[in-house]
Amino acid sequence: MSTDTDRRDQLRANLSRVQDAIAAACREAGRSPDSVRLIVVTKNFPAADAAVLVEEGQTDLGENRDQEAAGKAAELAAQGLTPSWHFVGQLQRNKTRSVASYASWVHSIDRTRLVDALDAAATAYGHSVNSLIQVSLDGDTSRGGVTIADLPALADRVAGAQSLRLRGVMAVAPIGWEPRKAFELLAECSRTVRNVEPAASEISAGMSGDYVTAIGCGTTMVRLGRNVLGEREPMA
Ligand SMILES: *Cc1c(COP(=O)(O)O)cnc(C)c1O
């Protein structure tokens, strides 16, 4: 058996195990399994892995760095593979043009200047970008996210943008917090955003270590890397 076949079998098994675990967590929470979307975060793994995942039926892939994401999106497109790309990392204004060219979702909108730049880029391409506002739940914005105090104004700004569709909120549980406390606070942030845009009901929360808790707290998008792909080695 070739290494490629081994890797495909491994990814298929991991994907199926994670799908089952998501379905079980949904049942446990009294939710429908199709109320949670799995985004597999392929950062630090090669385009070949991303291609296998798409061939195995995974439709949503996430990346956190533009350079890596742009390359993978192009490689997959060249093979006729067109997953929905989710940009989940901190975003610089000078990368918005590139990101808007391949990402159908951006999870990390956290300041007005970014809103304006991404909106201008999407408008230039003539398409719209599904936009989530990243919230810093503990108020420390050094790893991205808007403070809860500034969330309503930013939501207004995204809702008013020509080519951005306000779809909801995203967060990473702060280090040292009980995940449940983080995800319950994010659910409150979701209500704030739905006061601005009632259809913006997506909640992007839950990573490999805490997604079951996130599902119990109402998340609609889990972002899983290690659980599907294995432990990350820095890419050469
Ligand atoms: C890497 C990453 C993930 C996935 O993390 P895992 O622990 O590998 O599941 C999710 N969200 C963001 C923003 C990430 O950067």
Side-chain angles (χ1 to χ4, degrees):
M1 196 187 271
S2 77
T3 309
D4 283 0
T5 310
D6 285 351
R7 182 61 172 155
R8 177 177 294 270
D9 288 349
Q10 183 182 49
L11 289 174
R12 183 191 290 136
N14 290 352
L15 197 55
S16 136
R17 184 174 36 73
V18 163
Q19 285 162 344
D20 289 349
I22 290 171
C26 284
R27 274 194 302 277
E28 181 77 17
R31 301 180 57 189
S32 155
D34 57 16
S35 66
V36 175
R37 185 191 311 227
L38 168 61
I39 298 162
V40 178
V41 180
T42 47
K43 68 181 183 204
N44 290 6
F45 286 92
D49 280 354
V52 166
L53 290 167
V54 176
E55 287 165 357
E56 294 298 327
Q58 175 61 31
T59 55
D60 293 270
L61 299 183
E63 285 285 335
N64 74 336
R65 293 206 341 265
D66 170 59
Q67 205 183 352
E68 186 179 338
K72 272 181 219 175
E75 265 193 67
L76 266 63
Q79 300 172 49
L81 301 173
T82 53
S84 292
W85 288 101
H86 295 247
F87 191 85
V88 303
Q90 274 187 275
L91 180 54
Q92 265 85 52
R93 251 194 325 162
N94 62 357
K95 299 292 169 67
T96 49
R97 255 188 107 65
S98 174
V99 167
S101 73
Y102 58 82
S104 47
W105 291 79
V106 173
H107 291 228
S108 45
I109 293 180
D110 61 1
R111 55 200 189 279
T112 53
R113 295 199 312 166
L114 200 53
V115 173
D116 297 344
L118 189 63
D119 187 31
T123 301
Y125 291 121
H127 59 231
S128 56
V129 174
N130 294 302
S131 301
L132 302 178
I133 298 180
Q134 182 178 353
V135 185
S136 167
L137 295 171
D138 62 358
D140 173 0
T141 55
S142 63
R143 287 190 314 279
V146 67
T147 62
I148 290 174
D150 290 337
L151 176 60
L154 190 60
D156 273 332
R157 186 81 165 216
V158 175
Q162 184 182 337
S163 302
L164 304 185
R165 234 179 303 154
L166 179 59
R167 299 298 302 267
V169 290
M170 178 273 221
V172 176
I175 294 160
W177 280 37
E178 277 294 324
R180 175 165 299 279
K181 173 183 164 190
F183 300 138
E184 284 173 353
L185 183 54
L186 185 60
E188 279 180 43
C189 296
S190 169
R191 286 189 279 278
T192 301
V193 167
R194 278 178 284 144
N195 282 335
V196 173
E197 170 57 69
S201 56
E202 300 287 349
I203 301 176
S204 167
M207 299 166 49
S208 288
D210 56 19
Y211 70 99
V212 172
T213 305
I215 289 172
C217 297
T219 189
T220 65
M221 298 176 140
V222 293
R223 308 179 308 266
L224 306 185
R226 289 171 293 149
N227 271 3
V228 176
L229 289 141
E231 291 301 325
R232 277 184 291 275
E233 303 282 347
M235 253 198 347

